[in-house]
């Protein structure tokens, strides 16, 4: 059986109960499941959980994500493939963004609400950044930036930091259901603040592609686009 530690930082018990807690793999042998509550931000919760992880592979999952039957075996197999291809891989996820021939691509295979998005074809595939809905890394790489001003873009920050060190991140074939409750077409003030943080800290990596926006500099000013 796969051996994984699954981590969730939760502040909405109803969302958690309807989604992640309903995932069948949480009861599988070899799965350690940790729920963190009451931390000052998601990065702090994730760092605390990593200290208590029993397994080498640690999966950080948002409470609104449902992991379907067989997800744990699929994720373990993707991690094995990644390690064969790139022994120094930094992080993996189910949805990422990258630039190909000056075109922004969304890479991964998930179900957003009732609509299937993307394809498993070609995965694993290197990406610039990963979406926070699900992040996977080895225990020693599970170090999140607690200076991030709120709970957004922690996955993108982890990937950008890895890229500074010459390491790669990948979207993998481990299909999940993402039942987001917020309007994904609107950017909150907290999200914009997180964008500004990445703009300032990783200016040498501009443009920064995330799964929601592209952060770039235009005439010396931070500009966000789709």
């Amino acid at each position: 059986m796969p051996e994984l530690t699954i981590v969730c930082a939760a502040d909405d018990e109803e969302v958690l109960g309807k989604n992640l807690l309903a995932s069948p793999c949480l009861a599988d042998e070899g799965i350690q499941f940790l729920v963190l509550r009451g931390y000052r931000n998601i990065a702090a919760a994730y760092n605390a959980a990593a200290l208590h992880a029993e397994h080498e592979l640690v999966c950080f999952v948002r409470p609104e994500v449902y992991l379907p039957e067989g997800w744990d075996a699929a994720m373990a197999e993707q991690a094995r493939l990644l390690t064969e291809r790139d022994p120094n891989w930094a992080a993996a996820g189910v949805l990422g963004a990258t630039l190909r021939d000056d075109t922004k691509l969304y890479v991964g295979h998930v179900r957003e609400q009732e609509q299937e998005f993307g394809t498993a074809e070609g995965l694993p595939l290197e990406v610039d950044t990963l979406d926070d809905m699900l992040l996977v890394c080895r225990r020693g790489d599970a170090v999140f930036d607690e200076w991030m001003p709120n709970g957004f873009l922690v996955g993108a920050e982890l990937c950008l930091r890895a890229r500074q060190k010459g390491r790669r991140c990948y979207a993998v074939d481990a299909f999940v259901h993402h039942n987001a409750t917020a309007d994904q077409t609107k950017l909150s003030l907290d999200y914009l603040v997180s964008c500004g943080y990445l703009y300032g800290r990783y200016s040498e990596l501009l443009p920064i592609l995330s799964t929601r926006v592209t952060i770039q500099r235009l005439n010396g000013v931070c500009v966000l686009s789709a």
Side-chain angles (χ1 to χ4, degrees), residues 54 56 84-85 87 105 125 127-128 175 182 193:
E54 296 175 353
E56 178 66 11
E84 287 183 354
R85 177 186 300 184
L105 296 181
L125 189 66
V127 294
D128 288 12
F175 184 77
V193 170

Side-chain angles (χ1 to χ4, degrees), residues 100-120:
R100 296 284 191 276
D101 299 323
D102 296 325
T103 300
K104 183 177 181 178
L105 296 181
Y106 299 92
V107 182
H109 187 212
V110 301
R111 191 182 80 174
E112 285 280 357
Q113 299 292 358
E114 298 302 320
Q115 183 174 357
E116 193 166 322
F117 175 84
T119 176

Side-chain angles (χ1 to χ4, degrees), residues 8-19 21 37 63-64 181:
C8 180
D11 57 9
D12 189 319
E13 298 301 322
E14 182 178 0
V15 170
L16 177 66
K18 288 181 177 179
N19 297 284
L21 282 183
R37 301 177 176 89
E64 69 272 16
T181 55

Side-chain angles (χ1 to χ4, degrees), residues 35-179:
V35 178
L36 285 296
R37 301 177 176 89
Y39 285 79
R40 65 185 181 90
N41 58 32
I42 287 177
Y46 284 178
N47 287 337
L51 297 176
H52 298 283
E54 296 175 353
H55 303 303
E56 178 66 11
L57 203 62
V58 187
C59 310
F60 300 91
V61 188
R62 293 284 192 170
E64 69 272 16
V65 170
Y66 172 79
L67 309 174
E69 186 74 42
W71 175 86
D72 50 341
M75 187 66 249
E77 174 63 11
Q78 290 291 294
R80 185 190 67 79
L81 291 173
L82 271 188
T83 303
E84 287 183 354
R85 177 186 300 184
D86 179 2
N88 198 38
W89 66 276
V94 293
L95 184 64
T98 192
L99 198 64
R100 296 284 191 276
D101 299 323
D102 296 325
T103 300
K104 183 177 181 178
L105 296 181
Y106 299 92
V107 182
H109 187 212
V110 301
R111 191 182 80 174
E112 285 280 357
Q113 299 292 358
E114 298 302 320
Q115 183 174 357
E116 193 166 322
F117 175 84
T119 176
E121 185 177 354
L123 301 179
L125 189 66
E126 184 182 353
V127 294
D128 288 12
T129 66
L130 291 162
D131 193 277
D132 296 349
M133 74 172 74
L134 190 148
L135 301 166
V136 180
C137 58
R138 286 170 285 203
R139 186 168 45 197
D141 292 322
V143 180
F144 293 85
D145 182 2
E146 296 187 23
W147 289 101
M148 284 288 289
N150 49 61
F152 295 104
L153 295 168
V154 294
E157 193 284 326
L158 184 72
C159 294
L160 294 169
R161 190 158 21 102
R163 287 174 55 196
Q164 281 187 328
K165 300 175 182 178
R167 301 179 67 193
R168 297 180 177 89
C169 301
Y170 297 86
V172 298
D173 180 18
F175 184 77
V176 303
H177 302 179
H178 184 227
N179 299 314

